[in-house]
Amino acid sequence: MPESGPTTPEHISPSASGQVPASASGQVPAPARSPLEAAPPAAAVAAARRAGLLVTLVLGGLTALPPLSMDMYLPALPEVTGDLRAPAATIQLTLTACLAGMALGQLAVGPMSDRWGRRRPLLAGMAVYVAATVACAFATGAETLIAFRLLQGLAGAAGIVIARAVVRDLYDGVEMARFFSTLMLVSGVAPIVAPLIGAQVLRVTDWRGVFHVLAVIGLLLTLVVAKWLHETLPPERRHGGGVGHALRTMRALAADRVFTGYTLAGGLAFAALFAYIAASPFVVQSLFGASPQTFGLLFAVNSIGLVAVGQINGKLLVGRVSLDKVLGVGLAVIALAALALLLITSGVFGETGLLPVAAGLFVLMSAMGVTLPNTNAQALTRAPHAAGSASALLGTSSFLIGAIASPLVGIAGETTAVPMAVVQLVCALGALGCFLVLCRPWRTDRHPDAAPRSAGGPAGTERPAS
């Protein structure tokens, strides 16, 4: 891993990166040895892998929590704006606060899960999430709602970061990329049904009822995790260090140029996605006059595109085409879709209706189906023995960049979609630039044999965490 900064310590040895050169046919061979084979896995890990579908459903539920928390609430944004007598930009800060909480919470929960295992931090976070969601339902002002949404995000971060870490515990390389794509099928149902559920809830109650439903969902998911998700990080692979150890681990990860490249590319792509999430209720309902139900339907169609492309990625592309090639095409499509949206919304093609904008958003959302799982897999492959910390950095960067993008889309009010398209284009070009400049996908010397030797032994070997 030349030019990637200081040699990484053994607990996140880049020699276990799983990066392998593409063959002449473009296929990416599976790593010869996975981290789980470096030291015999505990019985719980082996049982978790055999559980297959059950693990997928539980982890899918955990990764579905953020889109549920965000998207069920989206159809209610105009109503919240009127009920709490606050401007749209202020109410959009409730989304920003939740995102910021999920970002910062991952920085704490990720290292905690590397030290104490996955189950205990996860269950504690889920319990606080349920309490915070109930508190959101009783908020009496915009400031109070923003504060409770921040707490909801901090607690909900446990499900996001630990779900990714569990995947890294159980899978490696191409197999991990396939699992992330399968996971997208499960978690992708959430953004499809969430706005529809939110819109139907608004038929019988007000926006506060949305949070009551979210609290029930959170409670049920907590019970499912407690009963069916076994510990996947054996004691011998945990880290006994405190805050200093966690900071050193994250600093070493950040010094890995390629890891940072995938992390920033994924985070900026996520920000383009979240610019759509934050702006679409006002664009579709306020600007084009559509109903909450129509908005929910369009959101569902876009989410179906994301899930469908994700399954094409996992079933047809992974293992046959280089992950970097697929990722590069996905980022390029996102950039082109964002450019088209900017041209449409700025009036270059004259006055347009909702259909051209919806088509551009559909292409942009669908391309996320190859971008998000592949950036996660490529980044986590470089940190086999610090999956919690690596997952925290991945999630934190995504949610922080998304939180910054959220208020920018409403900077010109509710009468134009141009700010949304500008934010999406800037983020898409930034993601593509980070991928090309930092990851350098054309290089073939990023495989284990090219990595610098660490204290753990010869390159290409792996040591269990101390």
Side-chain angles (χ1 to χ4, degrees):
M1 187 181 64
E3 305 174 45
S4 62
T7 301
T8 314
E10 64 181 282
H11 54 274
I12 52 169
S13 171
S15 63
S17 67
Q19 295 284 352
V20 292
S23 64
S25 62
Q27 296 183 349
V28 180
R33 192 179 189 188
S34 77
L36 291 175
E37 294 169 346
V45 176
R49 293 195 66 171
R50 287 195 300 269
L53 178 61
L54 181 59
V55 173
T56 303
L57 292 175
V58 174
L59 296 182
L62 292 174
T63 56
L65 199 59
L68 283 175
S69 301
M70 297 291 177
D71 301 345
M72 278 184 62
Y73 175 64
L74 291 180
L77 281 178
E79 181 181 328
V80 177
T81 301
D83 188 36
L84 298 183
R85 299 178 181 179
T90 300
I91 296 304
Q92 282 176 328
L93 287 177
T94 62
L95 296 176
T96 302
C98 190
L99 266 184
M102 289 180 178
L104 297 174
Q106 291 183 68
L107 284 177
V109 176
M112 286 169 58
S113 72
D114 282 339
R115 182 177 183 182
W116 290 305
R118 312 303 186 198
R119 273 178 58 86
R120 284 188 290 173
L122 176 57
L123 290 172
M126 292 298 298
V128 176
Y129 172 87
V130 173
T133 304
V134 172
C136 287
F138 293 96
T140 56
E143 295 78 8
T144 306
L145 181 59
I146 290 171
F148 285 138
R149 287 283 277 176
L150 176 64
L151 180 60
Q152 184 190 41
L154 287 169
I160 311 167
V161 67
I162 292 178
R164 276 195 303 263
V166 168
V167 174
R168 188 63 188 93
D169 291 340
L170 301 178
Y171 301 98
D172 188 35
V174 170
E175 190 178 19
M176 180 168 53
R178 285 200 179 101
F179 190 88
F180 272 125
S181 293
T182 302
L183 202 61
M184 184 171 286
L185 175 61
V186 179
S187 61
V189 173
I192 295 174
V193 303
L196 297 176
I197 295 174
Q200 296 308 312
V201 170
L202 292 177
R203 283 180 174 270
V204 297
T205 183
D206 60 7
W207 62 271
R208 300 178 190 274
V210 174
F211 286 107
H212 287 129
V213 174
L214 280 172
V216 173
I217 293 173
L219 179 60
L220 292 175
L221 186 56
T222 303
L223 296 175
V224 168
V225 168
K227 182 173 178 60
W228 281 298
L229 185 62
H230 301 291
E231 182 60 63
T232 60
L233 187 66
E236 63 270 16
R237 292 180 57 196
R238 299 177 190 176
H239 304 309
V243 175
H245 175 87
L247 291 176
R248 287 191 299 272
T249 298
M250 290 187 176
R251 186 167 61 247
L253 282 167
D256 180 350
R257 170 179 50 77
V258 181
F259 175 86
T260 300
Y262 287 123
T263 299
L264 291 177
L268 287 165
F270 182 84
L273 170 63
F274 196 75
Y276 156 73
I277 293 175
S280 58
F282 298 99
V283 170
V284 174
Q285 296 180 72
S286 300
L287 184 59
F288 290 102
S291 67
Q293 289 69 38
T294 300
F295 164 73
L297 178 61
L298 290 176
F299 202 94
V301 170
N302 291 339
S303 299
I304 289 173
L306 185 150
V307 172
V309 173
Q311 295 317 293
I312 293 173
N313 178 66
K315 305 298 184 184
L316 300 179
L317 300 179
V318 172
R320 294 181 174 87
V321 182
S322 165
L323 295 183
D324 281 337
K325 289 182 180 179
V326 177
L327 179 55
V329 171
L331 291 173
V333 170
I334 292 173
L336 290 174
L339 176 61
L341 282 168
L342 179 59
L343 295 176
I344 292 171
T345 57
S346 60
V348 171
F349 302 116
E351 185 175 351
T352 59
L354 177 59
L355 185 59
V357 175
L361 291 172
F362 175 79
V363 173
L364 186 145
M365 282 279 286
S366 298
M368 295 290 174
V370 296
T371 302
L372 300 182
N374 288 350
T375 51
N376 282 338
Q378 292 288 69
L380 286 174
T381 296
R382 305 188 69 83
H385 297 307
S389 296
S391 178
L393 287 176
L394 275 171
T396 296
S397 63
S398 295
F399 283 96
L400 279 181
I401 298 172
I404 294 171
S406 172
L408 296 179
V409 300
I411 200 168
E414 304 174 28
T415 59
T416 176
V418 171
M420 176 191 72
V422 170
V423 171
Q424 288 175 329
L425 181 58
V426 170
C427 290
L429 293 176
L432 188 58
C434 288
F435 173 64
L436 295 175
V437 173
L438 296 177
C439 300
R440 301 176 188 176
W442 58 86
R443 298 280 292 269
T444 59
D445 56 355
R446 296 184 300 148
H447 56 92
D449 292 337
R453 294 173 183 261
S454 69
T461 63
E462 297 176 1
R463 291 180 49 159
S466 57

